[in-house]
Amino acid sequence: MFLGKVKIINQIQVAPGSYQMTMRAKEVANAFQPGQFVHIRVSEEFNPILRRPFSIYRTNKKTGRIEILYKVVGEGTKILSEKKRGDKLDILGPLGNGFRIDKNLDKAILLGGGMGVAPLLELAVSCQRQGINKIIIFLGAKAKVFILGEKEFKDLGVEVKVATEDGSYGYKGMVTGLFKEEIEKESHPAKNTQLFASGPPPMLRALARLTFRYHLPAQVSLEARMACGLGVCRGCVVRVKDKKAYYKRVCKDGPVFDLSEVSWE
Ligand SMILES: Cc1cc2nc3c(=O)[nH]c(=O)nc-3n(C[C@H](O)[C@H](O)[C@H](O)COP(=O)(O)OP(=O)(O)OC[C@H]3O[C@@H](n4cnc5c(N)ncnc54)[C@H](O)[C@@H]3O)c2cc1C
Ligand code: FES
């Protein structure tokens, strides 16, 4: 695990209020597994004191670059969006447990709601490396301008299906609606197929119902407000169905969990 200052190589706005930042962080790029995150100290000032967690969107082991994709939602992400090329950032990572790819998998269905796309691009690359011949991604957002990563997935040869809430691009409605339509077309959807999803809690809750109904194994990347990021403070726990554990830490036990393990009550 790396802790230290890294240089920002580039930062571009990719959608209204959304940015893609590239950093040189060789140790992180080398150690990274899809689904892991970096914990970033966005300011040298006292406030905000806590680091902010971001999924690693893309890595390049040769150049030692890592990229994050993020949306401005508050003070920390606002400060981050004002960083310039050449600025330095204090980062910790890669952290957490990423996605697990079963070696018998024939088909990987990826589903990203909004910024939930961030941990899925490198997952698609890993699925391809493991020889999974069918990879499909469902991307959902409020409107066309907020659909991110479409080109990057297509460049990999991944089949892309898009849903927008306002109907400005692709299927009109929630991405879970599009996913449901597609899965209902298949006669045996769960055979050697796995869903990997990331996005807002209502989307994941809807997926929990759908995957239960269609007996589809699923892994999800969860988000929670974090402090230490190292499993110590227990500030990031989620409820799980395990009667012995009750709660698990998103930063250390996750952020990727089996969807069936998470309690949505
Ligand atoms: C493992 C992990 C990976 C993440 N990856 C990404 C990513 O790739 N791209 C991205 O844009 N965001 C990602 N996030 C969320 C990101 O960390 C938060 O948006 C960020 O910390 C907000 O900081 P802020 O200071 O701007 O907002 P704050 O001022 O702290 O909060 C602003 C608003 O956002 C809500 N919020 C803050 N943090 C979270 C959180 N972790 N989960 C849910 N709601 C939150 C607050 O409740 C509040 O309503 C990830 C979170 C986790 C735990
Ligand atoms: S943030 Fe401290 S235990 Fe997860």
Side-chain angles (χ1 to χ4, degrees):
M1 186 205 314
F2 171 81
L3 169 63
K5 290 202 173 164
V6 300
K7 200 184 246 184
I8 297 170
I9 306 295
N10 200 16
Q11 159 125 284
I12 52 167
Q13 186 167 1
V14 288
S18 301
Y19 297 82
Q20 188 171 328
M21 178 186 278
T22 309
M23 292 160 261
R24 196 183 303 285
K26 201 168 179 38
E27 294 86 347
V28 179
N30 283 335
F32 161 80
Q33 298 294 321
Q36 288 189 299
F37 66 96
V38 277
H39 215 17
I40 300 183
R41 179 108 200 262
V42 297
S43 168
E44 304 264 292
E45 307 297 317
F46 188 68
N47 196 22
I49 188 77
L50 295 178
R51 291 173 183 273
R52 300 295 195 257
F54 297 93
S55 299
I56 299 169
Y57 173 56
R58 198 152 59 171
T59 59
N60 185 323
K61 284 193 167 78
K62 277 193 200 133
T63 60
R65 291 178 178 201
I66 65 165
E67 291 172 37
I68 59 167
L69 198 59
Y70 68 94
K71 184 173 166 191
V72 174
V73 295
E75 194 187 2
T77 42
K78 172 92 175 52
I79 294 170
L80 206 57
S81 71
E82 288 159 358
K83 301 283 179 194
K84 301 272 178 290
R85 178 200 299 238
D87 286 352
K88 294 224 165 151
L89 269 185
D90 184 328
I91 71 167
L92 171 66
L95 297 176
N97 286 307
F99 294 102
R100 303 165 307 280
I101 306 171
D102 190 301
K103 58 179 184 310
N104 297 320
L105 216 58
D106 290 330
K107 181 174 175 181
I109 304 174
L110 281 49
L111 192 151
M115 272 299 152
V117 65
L120 301 178
L121 187 65
E122 286 287 352
L123 174 66
V125 173
S126 284
C127 285
Q128 283 186 328
R129 280 202 195 114
Q130 293 208 21
I132 296 169
N133 42 40
K134 182 94 178 123
I135 307 170
I136 176 168
I137 180 149
F138 292 84
L139 295 174
K142 285 196 184 328
K144 185 178 181 183
V145 283
F146 297 109
I147 293 289
L148 298 174
E150 184 184 7
K151 180 180 179 307
E152 287 76 3
F153 283 101
K154 282 187 172 163
D155 286 349
L156 288 175
V158 171
E159 184 182 348
V160 180
K161 291 187 182 283
V162 175
T164 51
E165 286 173 37
D166 68 355
S168 51
Y169 190 38
Y171 171 91
K172 182 174 183 183
M174 308 302 268
V175 66
T176 44
L178 175 61
F179 170 68
K180 181 170 179 281
E181 275 191 8
E182 292 293 321
I183 204 158
E184 281 174 350
K185 285 184 198 159
E186 299 196 17
S187 48
H188 302 291
K191 185 122 184 357
N192 291 338
T193 299
Q194 172 129 191
L195 174 72
F196 302 90
S198 174
M203 184 196 95
L204 299 180
R205 189 178 292 116
L207 286 178
R209 283 193 297 270
L210 282 172
T211 53
F212 179 75
R213 190 184 309 158
Y214 295 105
H215 308 287
L216 182 65
Q219 292 173 40
V220 290
S221 177
L222 297 185
E223 289 192 7
R225 303 210 71 173
M226 284 185 184
C228 70
L230 295 167
V232 180
C233 71
R234 303 191 72 82
C236 63
V237 293
V238 285
R239 278 206 74 162
V240 290
K241 291 174 186 163
D242 182 341
K243 288 278 182 289
K244 284 188 206 128
Y246 292 108
Y247 291 96
K248 284 194 175 175
R249 299 156 300 179
V250 172
C251 69
K252 187 80 177 172
D253 305 308
V256 176
F257 293 88
D258 283 333
L259 183 52
S260 59
E261 170 188 19
V262 181
S263 170
W264 297 100
E265 283 161 21

